[in-house]
Amino acid sequence: MANPTNNAEPPNADAEMNSKRRRKKSIVWEHFTIETINAECTKARCMQCKKVFSYITGSKLAGTSHLKRHIALGICPVGRTNQQDGQLLSLTPLTLTESQVVNDLPRKRHKTTSNSISFYHNRCRHDIAKMIIMHEYPLTIVECPAFLNSVRALQPQFPKIPLDGIEKECVELYKREKETLLNLVNSVNGRVNLSLDMWSTDQSVGYAFITGQFIDDDWKLHRRILGIVLLPFPESESAFNHAILSCISDWNLENKLFAITLDESFANKEVRKNMKRLLSEKNPLILNGKLLIGSCYARVLCQLAQDSLGALSETVKKVRESVKYVVLLEGTQETFNGLKLKLQVPSTKSLVLDDQNQWNTTYHMLIAACELKEVFSCLDAYDPNYQITLTMNEWKELEILCTFLKLLIDAANILTGPTYPTSNAFFHEVWKLQLELKNGTLSDDLFVRNLITPMYERFNRYWKDSFLVFSIAVVMDPRFKMKLVEFSFSRIYGEYAAADWIKTVNDGVYELFLDYVVQMLPPPTFVVNGNEGFEEETRLHCEILKTEVDENEIFLSTSDELSDFEVYISGITSHGNMKPELDQYLEESVLPRMQEFDVLGWWKLNRKKYPTLSKMASDILCIPVSTVGKESVFDMRCRKMDRYRSSLRPSTVEALICAKDWLKYGSPECSPEYSPEYSSPRSVVKMELFLVLMFKMKTKKKDISDVWELLRNNGVKPNK
């Protein structure tokens, strides 16, 4: 009969000395008990699965290596169950230090390796750098006493990281991620669109945030910050050209730039003129720079909201003070709710004080207050301290204001989704907003006209600046094509006046498509002179494509008549194939309208049917309409770099901000655990134990199936 004891004495003195020495070196006895079977045999029993293992047999000491493997490698069935249930064991592969594992190896027993320790440090430095980037912690956090105490509690041997060391680690992480993104950008066959936003500082300098947007070869839309450029003289008209040219050089976009979107808060007429000239130079065939969008969609909506709220600033202030009185004063909320029940007001909205920097929160505060206006109107009778009163006319004006703010909210919400929408999605919101604002200026109500007319004038400037891009983009949506353009323009301008607008869009679609056909032609060999050669070649190509060409009008070189003839034939052939491809797409029936339609997926399936048109669609559909991220769609403040980041080197600022964007939205980062540079302790432990097990199995001629069981339990699938 076995006599279980937690620390039973071994049967002889030598075994006792060996046992005590081993118990002092190993933590395995926290999971095993020693059971004396008889004078010649002592066993070790697992506290979890109750399985018995050999320990001492006569004068032979089995040791603790096999006991440690039972717990550390997950062979214990109870241990595996606890790990699956989320209950961590006190002895797991992660808690085993490298020195403890190496001490149990049969060879080089008392030697430790520094490789695994250095790898562990490298991994920790990498993770700390990633934490700083993702959570925007200051680099000085590595010198904070509270941070050092936390790290040393987890790993007492981990050394203090110097400030310049963690900065270098963040920059190195940025460089690795940039190389990955650069490879992706270079592999894209289509073009890249840019948006330009500027952040101010407390100093007289600015930072240009350049965001790139493109569609990869698998028809997935990507939106990434490509660079952050310090602008020493942001008021200069050519400062932003420098930022764009810097980005083009860094990302090899010399032949890939397609369209640029600016923020009108800093893009004056001269800046736009310079940008349009730059865009025309980088894209000599793409609509002569007409794809420059001079205003950010989100900023325009924000300015419209500010204008409308400013028109009723005093009334809005009264509502804000009333909500503050009800929400913040003790006991007032109960009185207000009781009065609401007594008056049987059906509103289910709750009063919430707005954030004056986020115009959507002001809208939600106003709409809730308007639904509860009856309660506010009677509150002074039940609470004599409430002295704020709004007239019925003021409530009516607020309701009209909320009606138009709702249009802006709906138009802005398209930017707050989990993914950035393709450019075709914006046309629906823009043309409806243009129509409603125009109708508002024709209202019989004087208040409505006075409120809406300034909004319409501002938005109409934006509409004229960007309607062509929006329209061409929606033509690339097979659910709408030119049909929606014709319908919406007729609603806005009437049947007669809409004809010119529709013709402008139709000509733009064909002209842009012709540019893509020209790009697919073989290199021309027309005789040209001087610096006008490229433009002359392009003009002659378009002559071939747009008109029935008279061969006498083409000047061919005399060096190789047959090669010139091949160019001539290629132009005529392209002309014959071009028109059916575009016309076939436009003449086919539109697809049934469905809300969850994947326009990029449709073009991916039909790119062989429309080889040229699909390339055009790929570039058009990824034009950025807004320069800000979804977290800033409703922000009424100008973006500003904080003092800490302004104190850093510009290269460090770029590394921290870009790396966060790439890690958050980019492809999954290659885990350092499997990188040669960042081998983890777990992988080192597994490999060492595997080699030891293989050696023991081979020398002792034991059943190899135990090895397979150990490997399978640890996620390893060896090739038999």
Side-chain angles (χ1 to χ4, degrees), residues 65-314:
S65 297
H66 63 302
L67 306 180
K68 189 173 296 181
R69 288 193 294 273
H70 176 74
I71 297 296
L73 295 183
I75 301 175
C76 178
V78 178
R80 289 200 304 272
T81 302
N82 290 339
Q83 289 180 1
Q84 293 172 356
D85 293 340
Q87 301 175 4
L88 298 179
L89 301 178
S90 58
L91 182 59
T92 66
L94 287 177
T95 58
L96 282 175
T97 64
E98 295 85 343
S99 60
Q100 289 172 327
V101 174
V102 174
N103 284 340
D104 283 335
L105 300 181
R107 304 176 68 179
K108 300 182 181 180
R109 183 180 185 85
H110 298 290
K111 293 183 179 181
T112 60
T113 60
S114 60
N115 290 336
S116 57
I117 296 294
S118 64
F119 286 145
Y120 180 72
H121 290 168
N122 288 341
R123 175 60 189 265
C124 286
R125 290 167 68 98
H126 170 86
D127 287 340
I128 291 173
K130 189 174 178 180
M131 175 194 72
I132 289 174
I133 291 172
M134 294 302 296
H135 298 282
E136 299 184 4
Y137 295 138
L139 297 173
T140 52
I141 192 175
V142 296
E143 298 178 341
C144 177
F147 174 79
L148 293 174
N149 292 337
S150 300
V151 173
R152 286 169 181 166
L154 298 172
Q155 175 51 262
Q157 298 179 354
F158 191 75
K160 179 181 178 181
I161 304 176
L163 185 61
D164 58 344
I166 197 62
E167 181 179 4
K168 181 180 178 182
E169 188 70 36
C170 291
V171 173
E172 289 299 320
L173 191 153
Y174 156 78
K175 290 180 179 179
R176 289 194 296 270
E177 292 296 323
K178 182 175 181 179
E179 187 67 27
T180 301
L181 183 57
L182 183 60
N183 292 336
L184 175 61
V185 173
N186 290 336
S187 68
V188 173
N189 292 323
R191 292 176 176 260
V192 177
N193 300 294
L194 301 179
S195 64
L196 187 63
D197 192 18
M198 190 180 74
W199 287 30
S200 63
T201 63
D202 290 333
Q203 298 82 20
S204 59
V205 299
Y207 285 88
F209 279 60
I210 305 175
T211 303
Q213 199 157 293
F214 58 91
I215 293 174
D216 63 21
D217 295 339
D218 196 35
W219 288 85
K220 302 296 183 183
L221 179 64
H222 297 266
R223 180 178 172 89
R224 303 287 180 269
I225 298 178
L226 298 184
I228 299 173
V229 182
L230 175 67
L231 302 178
F233 304 99
E235 67 280 356
S236 171
E237 295 172 354
S238 60
F240 303 104
N241 283 28
H242 163 70
I244 293 293
L245 291 174
S246 174
C247 178
I248 291 174
S249 176
D250 287 348
W251 294 90
N252 303 326
L253 301 180
E254 285 78 5
N255 299 315
K256 285 193 170 186
L257 182 61
F258 185 68
I260 301 177
T261 302
L262 304 176
D263 180 1
E264 77 167 0
S265 62
F266 63 82
N268 56 40
K269 290 183 178 180
E270 289 301 321
V271 170
R272 297 186 190 186
K273 184 177 179 180
N274 289 335
M275 282 292 179
K276 185 169 291 189
R277 185 184 303 114
L278 175 65
L279 184 59
S280 299
E281 292 173 356
K282 297 302 177 181
N283 300 283
L285 300 178
I286 304 299
L287 289 183
N288 297 321
K290 293 180 182 178
L291 298 183
L292 174 71
I293 300 179
S295 302
C296 167
Y297 177 79
R299 297 290 192 196
V300 170
L301 297 180
C302 178
Q303 289 164 353
L304 294 178
Q306 283 183 298
D307 291 344
S308 59
L309 290 171
L312 292 178
S313 58
E314 292 301 321

Side-chain angles (χ1 to χ4, degrees), residues 31 58 125 141 162 207 211 236 262 268 282 291 293 316 346 350 479 489 536 545 599 631 656 665 677 681:
H31 303 271
R125 290 167 68 98
I141 192 175
Y207 285 88
T211 303
S236 171
L262 304 176
N268 56 40
K282 297 302 177 181
L291 298 183
I293 300 179
V316 172
S350 300
R479 298 172 297 171
F489 280 44
E536 182 66 15
L545 295 171
V599 65
E631 69 281 354
L656 293 173
Y665 299 107
E677 184 179 358

Side-chain angles (χ1 to χ4, degrees), residues 3-30:
N3 182 23
T5 59
N6 189 39
N7 292 299
E9 296 295 330
N12 53 66
D14 293 337
E16 180 181 0
M17 293 178 61
N18 292 335
S19 177
K20 288 183 178 181
R21 181 170 63 253
R22 289 186 177 276
R23 284 201 303 272
K24 291 179 181 180
K25 287 187 176 183
S26 179
I27 61 174
V28 73
W29 299 113
E30 296 179 8

Side-chain angles (χ1 to χ4, degrees), residues 285 518 521-544 567:
L285 300 178
V518 169
L521 287 175
T525 57
F526 300 114
V527 175
V528 293
N529 296 318
N531 296 330
E532 298 178 355
F534 183 77
E535 296 179 359
E536 182 66 15
E537 292 174 8
T538 303
R539 185 187 66 78
L540 290 174
H541 273 306
C542 292
E543 290 289 339
I544 293 174
V567 173

